[in-house]
Amino acid sequence: MNALAVLYGGSLCKSAFEKVLCVEPGEEKACALTLALKKASSFPGVAKTVLLAGADFERLAGEAGFALRGGTEIRILPELKVKNLLLVLAELSRSFDFLYFAWADAPFLDPALAGKVAERHIRYAAEYSYADGWPYGLAPEILSPSAAGILSALAEKDDGPVDRETVFQVIRKDINAFDIETEISPVDLRSHRLSFTADSRRNLLLLTRFQAAGFTGSAGIEGIIAEKPELLRTLPAFYAIQVSGPCPQACAVCPYPRFPGPRGEEVTVRKDFMDPSRFEELLDRIIAFSGDGVIDLSLWGELALHPQKLDLIDMVLARRDNLSLIIETSGIGWKKGEFETLASRVREERPPKPWTAPPGPLSWIVSLDAAGRERYGEVRGPGFEEAVENARTLCSLFPDDAYVQAVRFQGAEEDIETFYRSWKDRGAKIIIQKYDDFCGFLPKKQAADLSPVRRHPCWRLMRDMNIFMDGRVSRCREDLSALGGQGTPGSGILGNVFDEPLEAIWVRGGELYQEHCLGRYNGICGECDEYYTFNF
């Protein structure tokens, strides 16, 4: 067996260079990149290890004090494009039986699992092999030299950025032309959505926790997850922030209009907004705490009605590359030309970063909830034509990052099907959202029971932080007691982001998550069916 190990380090972030992991018990701490190279060089049959790096590798390595150990060849890729990567893989693999390929920020690469994939690859004379069912970052992909050459030809004109799915995505272009083998995990762990990669502060914390818990390889991973599910709650990834009090509509499927504003006014006439300076302060504190994150506007209320909405959006887009922004909107209240201005800003200020997961820098969700004007009026009220026109504009300007959304509930099935087909024909991306009764606050109108057979700890408690205009943080979006006032003991208010550290508030939320890990679902949690829904 004469194999080549290639690690892709063209898009490493600073977390990959942080020395927080142990090579061996008792040894000096090392970074994820060091461990990944060590593991890759131990794959069965490896005669040579190559690190593919980007033009900024020397700068990042120098800032982190990283030194490449002997025995590893480094190849600098001038452009981090799909076609360039596959051309290099084809060139490097020519004199080897096959090549292992993985990302260089995966310190838990398992030589034993790599050996199983390689054994299957050789036994069945495969051209491409991979492992399925384990968390990402435990096993490499394997390519034969002939397959690498074919892929380089298939991707000859592909100027797209390299991401973690690049090899398989190119294979999919002509998947029947390849002999593919899969090493399948005895326990399917994909539902946990784990990524053992040092591509964020969140995942780096996950790596350190699993190593401290005795992680030794792929064979023991399911035991750690089952016995210590609390390890999976690391740092918040999704920040739903209320910046606008008013809404242009009082929707029938939303609880928000049922709560009066600070002066007792209805939702359609409220005039309260978050001050941009406070919003900017909050963004900086989020970055300081989480390192990155998805900002969702607005937790309640319509962003389009905020008089300084473009300033708020620009605070995310122009100055904070580690943040992504999602705007949930009715599509009503936007001024002519604002969408075009924002599309231009995204192109100019936020080039894509291939090492980050979706969403992109700016994504849109337009809540329409109906296919036609009459049904729309019953569910949402006036404004159908404006909402549809703006939805079409957004889908045109942001084809990969704009969605039209409709809530599926009893009595609306036929209309939902019409909605789906009509927007599908336009080429739009569609979200059919499950109905949420907010733990019994609204009538139960779920069209179907989508809940898992076995309940698991809440995704929202694991990943989300919900922040009101005044800085109060509710334990969960489903806890509507926070809408009724400033919050009282037991009302679900965890703290205030303008008065105390985010970390302290996040730790308090972990107490309820720990209850879920123990199988205890008290209070409104016992009535909730949103626990299995997952945000970006």
Side-chain angles (χ1 to χ4, degrees):
M1 187 188 300
N2 181 32
L4 168 72
V6 178
L7 293 187
Y8 179 75
S11 304
L12 297 177
C13 69
K14 291 183 178 180
S15 294
F17 295 93
E18 291 191 33
K19 297 179 180 179
V20 296
L21 299 167
C22 295
V23 179
E24 296 291 345
E27 288 190 6
E28 184 178 353
K29 294 288 181 70
C31 66
L33 176 57
T34 296
L35 266 68
L37 289 168
K38 178 180 174 64
K39 295 291 185 65
S41 64
S42 301
F43 289 167
V46 167
K48 181 179 181 180
T49 304
V50 177
L51 173 65
L52 302 180
D56 62 346
F57 178 80
E58 290 187 4
R59 176 184 61 81
L60 289 171
E63 292 174 354
F66 172 84
L68 194 65
R69 294 183 178 182
T72 298
E73 176 185 325
I74 185 168
R75 174 81 67 95
I76 301 297
L77 298 176
E79 288 187 299
L80 306 180
K81 305 292 187 181
V82 171
K83 64 180 182 182
N84 295 336
L85 168 65
L86 295 175
L87 280 171
V88 170
L89 292 183
E91 173 195 338
L92 291 172
S93 65
R94 285 173 187 160
S95 58
F96 294 90
D97 297 333
F98 61 86
L99 70 86
Y100 297 99
F101 178 74
W103 275 50
D105 58 0
F108 288 174
L109 288 169
D110 186 349
L113 180 55
K116 291 181 181 179
V117 181
E119 181 183 0
R120 180 181 292 273
H121 183 86
I122 295 169
R123 184 193 313 155
Y124 296 107
E127 293 174 296
Y128 172 73
S129 299
Y130 66 102
D132 194 24
W134 283 276
Y136 184 87
L138 296 183
E141 300 168 271
I142 295 181
L143 277 172
S144 68
S146 60
I150 294 171
L151 292 181
S152 66
L154 285 174
E156 185 179 7
K157 298 181 180 179
D158 192 336
D159 286 324
V162 177
D163 62 30
R164 300 188 191 277
E165 301 292 329
T166 285
V167 173
F168 187 69
Q169 290 302 323
V170 176
I171 285 176
R172 287 182 60 183
K173 293 180 178 181
D174 193 9
I175 196 167
N176 293 325
F178 296 90
D179 291 322
I180 300 174
E181 285 297 324
T182 309
E183 182 69 23
I184 300 176
S185 170
V187 178
D188 191 350
L189 301 173
R190 290 174 297 178
S191 63
H192 295 287
R193 294 181 166 95
L194 299 176
S195 181
F196 287 135
T197 50
D199 57 353
S200 67
R201 189 176 300 171
R202 186 177 309 104
N203 281 337
L204 189 61
L205 179 57
L206 185 73
L207 294 172
T208 59
R209 285 183 176 180
F210 267 76
Q211 191 171 76
F215 176 84
T216 56
S218 57
I221 187 68
E222 64 270 17
I224 295 177
I225 293 174
E227 295 170 11
K228 300 182 178 182
E230 67 275 7
L231 299 182
L232 306 187
R233 186 180 190 266
T234 53
L235 296 171
F238 188 88
Y239 291 85
I241 305 174
Q242 182 188 28
V243 295
S244 178
C247 255
Q249 300 167 318
C251 301
V253 294
C254 178
Y256 187 57
R258 291 162 171 77
F259 292 87
R263 298 178 181 82
E265 67 271 50
E266 294 183 359
V267 66
T268 53
V269 296
R270 289 177 62 163
K271 298 294 182 182
D272 50 328
F273 306 96
M274 181 181 282
D275 184 88
S277 63
R278 302 203 89 181
F279 180 69
E280 186 164 36
E281 174 193 347
L282 178 55
L283 294 179
D284 288 337
R285 294 182 64 186
I286 287 171
I287 293 175
F289 177 46
S290 294
D292 64 356
V294 176
I295 307 299
D296 179 78
L297 301 179
S298 175
L299 171 61
W300 301 107
E302 172 58 67
L303 174 64
L305 303 182
H306 196 297
Q308 295 167 287
K309 56 183 175 290
L310 295 187
D311 292 335
L312 301 183
I313 296 171
D314 203 45
M315 288 174 184
V316 179
L317 294 181
R319 284 167 277 175
R320 294 168 178 86
D321 290 353
N322 290 343
L323 300 178
S324 296
L325 179 61
I326 292 178
I327 297 174
E328 296 191 61
T329 177
S330 64
I332 296 173
W334 296 91
K335 297 178 182 178
K336 186 176 179 61
E338 287 181 332
F339 296 145
E340 288 78 5
T341 296
L342 292 172
S344 177
R345 288 183 185 176
V346 170
R347 288 193 297 269
E348 294 172 359
E349 299 168 357
R350 294 290 294 271
K353 289 185 175 181
W355 63 89
T356 57
L362 175 58
S363 301
W364 301 82
I365 299 175
V366 185
S367 296
L368 297 176
D369 296 325
R373 182 186 301 103
E374 182 177 350
R375 184 67 176 179
Y376 183 91
E378 295 173 0
V379 178
R380 302 193 62 87
F384 176 73
E385 287 78 9
E386 179 183 353
V388 169
E389 180 182 354
N390 282 335
R392 289 173 176 169
T393 300
L394 287 170
C395 289
S396 174
L397 292 171
F398 300 85
D400 296 324
D401 297 299
Y403 303 80
V404 291
Q405 177 174 276
V407 176
R408 179 190 177 197
F409 58 94
Q410 291 177 6
E413 297 285 49
E414 184 175 340
D415 186 74
I416 287 293
E417 183 175 351
T418 302
F419 173 89
Y420 180 85
R421 292 182 182 278
S422 62
W423 283 99
K424 192 71 173 178
D425 289 343
R426 297 186 181 110
K429 303 182 77 171
I430 304 164
I431 297 174
I432 302 300
Q433 187 181 37
K434 66 172 285 297
Y435 176 80
D436 183 3
D437 66 12
F438 287 85
C439 305
F441 182 84
L442 297 178
K444 291 188 177 297
K445 293 185 177 181
Q446 287 86 345
D449 182 2
L450 304 175
S451 60
V453 174
R454 178 179 297 178
R455 183 159 181 171
H456 56 72
C458 179
W459 277 115
R460 304 300 184 92
L461 295 179
M462 181 194 289
R463 305 181 70 253
D464 300 0
M465 183 175 282
N466 304 283
I467 304 172
F468 288 89
M469 273 188 295
D470 58 5
R472 289 175 301 137
V473 176
S474 65
R475 61 182 177 180
C476 176
R477 183 174 179 268
E478 300 301 294
D479 189 346
L480 300 176
S481 62
L483 286 173
Q486 293 300 310
T488 57
S491 66
I493 297 299
L494 299 175
N496 192 298
V497 295
F498 299 124
D499 296 335
E500 56 186 322
L502 289 177
E503 181 178 6
I505 298 172
W506 181 245
V507 168
R508 289 190 199 112
E511 296 173 5
L512 182 57
Y513 184 79
Q514 181 64 38
E515 291 288 308
H516 282 211
C517 292
L518 296 173
R520 302 170 187 165
Y521 306 103
N522 300 316
I524 63 171
C525 293
E527 300 295 324
C528 181
D529 72 342
E530 285 287 302
Y531 67 89
Y532 56 88
T533 60
F534 186 91
N535 284 318
F536 285 94

